[in-house]
Amino acid sequence: MNNMINNAKVYENGTFIVKDFPLPTGGIVSNFNNLFVFPAFCDVHVHLREPGFSYKETIKSGTMACAHGGYTDVCSMPNLNPVPDSAKHLKAQLDIIETDAVINVYPYASITVGQKGEQLSDFENLRHAFAFSDDGRGVQNEEMMREAMKKAKELGKIIVAHCEDNSLLFGGYIHDGEYAKAHGHKGICSESEWKPIERDLKLAKETGCKYHVCHISCKESVELIRKAKADGVDVTCETAPHYLVLTDKDLKEDGRFKMNPPLRSEADRLALIEGIKDGTIDMIATDHAPHSSEEKSKGLEKSAFGIVGIEIAFPVMYTYLVKTGIITLEKLIEIMAINPRKRFSIPQSGYTIWDLDKKFTVDTDDFLSKGIATPFEGCELYGQNKLTVLGDEIKYIKE
């Protein structure tokens, strides 16, 4: 047994230093030389699908996939059955997490009962929940969101918002851009995203609530959040790897390119990158959203919304943003491991070891998730995870 890796590039206090790095005492591993040791990643937006939809994913398969991707802490979204809108319903998920989760899982409680937007969830009896979100659906009623923010403020919790105005969707399912027009598809306008963000930023300023915006995808959202931060609003936001790399010009008639919000224009992509660089966008979240193969086999119009990505998020970002010189490796670690924990008060819990010179082709047969729908299938990426450690326990090792 060898308990050191030699000449590792270890990320500490915002920079990399070269040193020998101790390995966990509880497992036998190879002597990995000249590799990078990062704080384990943290994703505040994943769908683990259990309870209620275990044919799509289970907490066990989903967290195994997370460990494969270098994550030791993830936050699970509430579009489940039962929806965690009460202490009893939240416990149904917590019980499975307790027995089956491979890594740390922090479950959201829902903002509204059944995520229907008609009645607030039992905030008082959900005070031990991680945060509140209706992800997958936007809260349509302004007064409902105002009251949710007031209650969250009282409890010291964050409102995590899926921003989508249903009145502006018009049956759309991809971005209302060049591809939709050229191929006769119904489009989703950017206003359906940024208009609710504009509303919520005003409410967050009014109530003093901590507010976090999910999966922003368009330039207007970036600018609104940038201005709100300058105005002192307590707001953070996330975007996902696919919005930083792909646009609607990359679409194919395949369900693995369908997600919500959709891939948008090149101007939107560039605005998101600027938002990453200037700190407007605080973190990367994958919105890992597995579905069955049947649900994703019906083309752009009829397939379910959602793609998987947690197992390749770091390689995608490293290949397309770091190796191209758009951002530094230090910046990538900041937005994948440091900032999510700072905002959501999640302790640093482990580390992950990567061979950044390793080149591979994305093959979904290698995924541990039940979901295989990714627009990056067949792409050549750099970066292979050798080891994920939580505490002193190995949670993933590359055999």
Side-chain angles (χ1 to χ4, degrees):
M1 180 165 67
N2 191 316
N3 287 323
M4 299 286 289
I5 57 171
N6 303 318
N7 302 315
K9 299 174 183 69
V10 183
Y11 184 89
E12 290 183 351
N13 299 319
T15 189
F16 288 96
I17 58 175
V18 177
K19 71 173 188 178
D20 292 346
F21 188 83
L23 288 166
T25 58
I28 298 174
V29 298
S30 302
N31 183 23
F32 298 142
N33 292 323
N34 199 31
L35 300 180
F36 283 80
V37 181
F38 306 135
F41 307 136
C42 176
D43 192 338
V44 302
H45 191 146
V46 301
H47 297 268
L48 298 180
R49 303 302 193 197
E50 198 175 23
F53 305 96
S54 57
Y55 71 94
K56 299 174 187 275
E57 188 81 289
T58 64
I59 285 171
K60 183 173 183 179
S61 66
T63 55
M64 287 173 61
C66 296
H68 182 200
Y71 293 81
T72 57
D73 301 275
V74 297
C75 309
S76 59
M77 287 302 180
N79 44 351
L80 303 168
N81 185 16
V83 172
D85 51 16
S86 66
K88 178 182 177 181
H89 290 166
L90 179 62
K91 188 177 184 299
Q93 185 182 179
L94 289 169
D95 287 346
I96 305 172
I97 291 169
E98 178 69 24
T99 58
D100 290 358
V102 173
I103 62 166
N104 295 329
V105 177
Y106 299 84
Y108 288 97
S110 65
I111 295 173
T112 65
V113 174
Q115 292 190 289
K116 296 178 180 179
E118 298 170 355
Q119 178 184 348
L120 287 181
S121 295
D122 186 2
F123 273 57
E124 287 294 331
N125 287 318
L126 288 164
R127 62 175 58 247
H128 298 300
F130 164 67
F132 290 86
S133 180
D134 262 10
D135 185 64
R137 302 179 184 180
V139 176
Q140 303 301 305
N141 183 279
E142 179 173 343
E143 185 57 33
M144 184 77 66
M145 182 58 93
R146 177 181 284 108
E147 290 305 309
M149 286 187 176
K150 287 180 180 178
K151 288 184 177 294
K153 169 70 173 175
E154 291 173 3
L155 297 173
K157 300 294 184 180
I158 301 177
I159 289 289
V160 177
H162 173 115
C163 291
E164 185 173 38
D165 186 335
N166 292 349
S167 71
L168 297 173
L169 297 180
F170 304 114
Y173 44 87
I174 63 171
H175 176 56
D176 186 17
E178 294 180 20
Y179 189 94
K181 292 179 176 65
H183 295 82
H185 290 296
K186 293 181 180 179
I188 300 174
C189 66
S190 297
E191 187 178 4
S192 66
E193 173 181 308
W194 65 256
K195 200 69 175 176
I197 294 176
E198 183 179 55
R199 179 201 73 183
D200 286 356
L201 289 171
K202 293 176 182 177
L203 295 176
K205 183 176 182 180
E206 172 191 324
T207 62
C209 175
K210 294 179 180 180
Y211 177 63
H212 178 82
V213 190
C214 294
H215 47 47
I216 68 169
S217 68
C218 62
K219 59 184 185 294
E220 294 90 349
S221 298
V222 178
E223 186 57 28
L224 283 167
I225 294 166
R226 182 181 287 122
K227 289 179 178 177
K229 286 188 171 189
D231 194 31
V233 178
D234 191 351
V235 58
T236 52
C237 67
E238 69 194 47
T239 193
H242 39 283
Y243 302 122
L244 294 165
V245 174
L246 304 172
T247 72
D248 64 334
K249 289 184 179 180
D250 297 302
L251 287 172
K252 297 179 182 178
E253 296 295 315
D254 190 315
R256 63 192 177 93
F257 288 84
K258 184 179 181 180
M259 71 290 292
N260 189 24
L263 298 175
R264 299 204 186 270
S265 71
E266 177 67 1
D268 293 308
R269 188 185 74 85
L270 293 175
L272 293 170
I273 287 175
E274 285 305 307
I276 291 284
K277 292 167 74 172
D278 70 12
T280 299
I281 298 174
D282 303 89
M283 64 196 76
I284 296 293
T286 64
D287 193 6
H288 175 79
H291 293 286
S292 70
S293 295
E294 180 182 358
E295 289 170 322
K296 294 299 291 182
S297 67
K298 301 175 182 178
L300 287 176
E301 180 180 359
K302 297 187 181 300
S303 289
F305 284 108
I307 61 171
V308 297
I310 203 154
E311 296 177 78
I312 55 171
F314 178 81
V316 168
M317 293 289 85
Y318 177 72
T319 301
Y320 288 103
L321 295 190
V322 176
K323 284 185 69 67
T324 56
I326 294 172
I327 62 172
T328 65
L329 181 55
E330 289 85 351
K331 179 68 172 180
L332 183 57
I333 300 307
E334 178 186 328
I335 59 180
M336 291 189 69
I338 309 302
N339 288 354
R341 289 188 168 91
K342 283 183 179 179
R343 177 56 163 171
F344 287 89
S345 300
I346 297 172
Q348 179 63 48
S349 61
Y351 61 89
T352 183
I353 300 176
W354 288 75
D355 179 354
L356 298 186
D357 293 328
K358 179 68 175 180
K359 186 178 182 180
F360 71 100
T361 300
V362 177
D363 182 350
T364 56
D365 287 343
D366 297 329
F367 285 6
L368 301 182
S369 170
K370 285 188 173 185
I372 60 171
T374 170
F376 295 106
E377 184 176 1
C379 291
E380 290 189 339
L381 302 176
Y382 285 87
Q384 182 181 75
N385 184 17
K386 293 293 189 179
L387 195 70
T388 301
V389 175
L390 172 59
D392 198 33
E393 295 183 9
I394 294 172
K395 297 300 183 179
Y396 171 82
I397 184 169
K398 176 63 178 175
E399 301 293 345

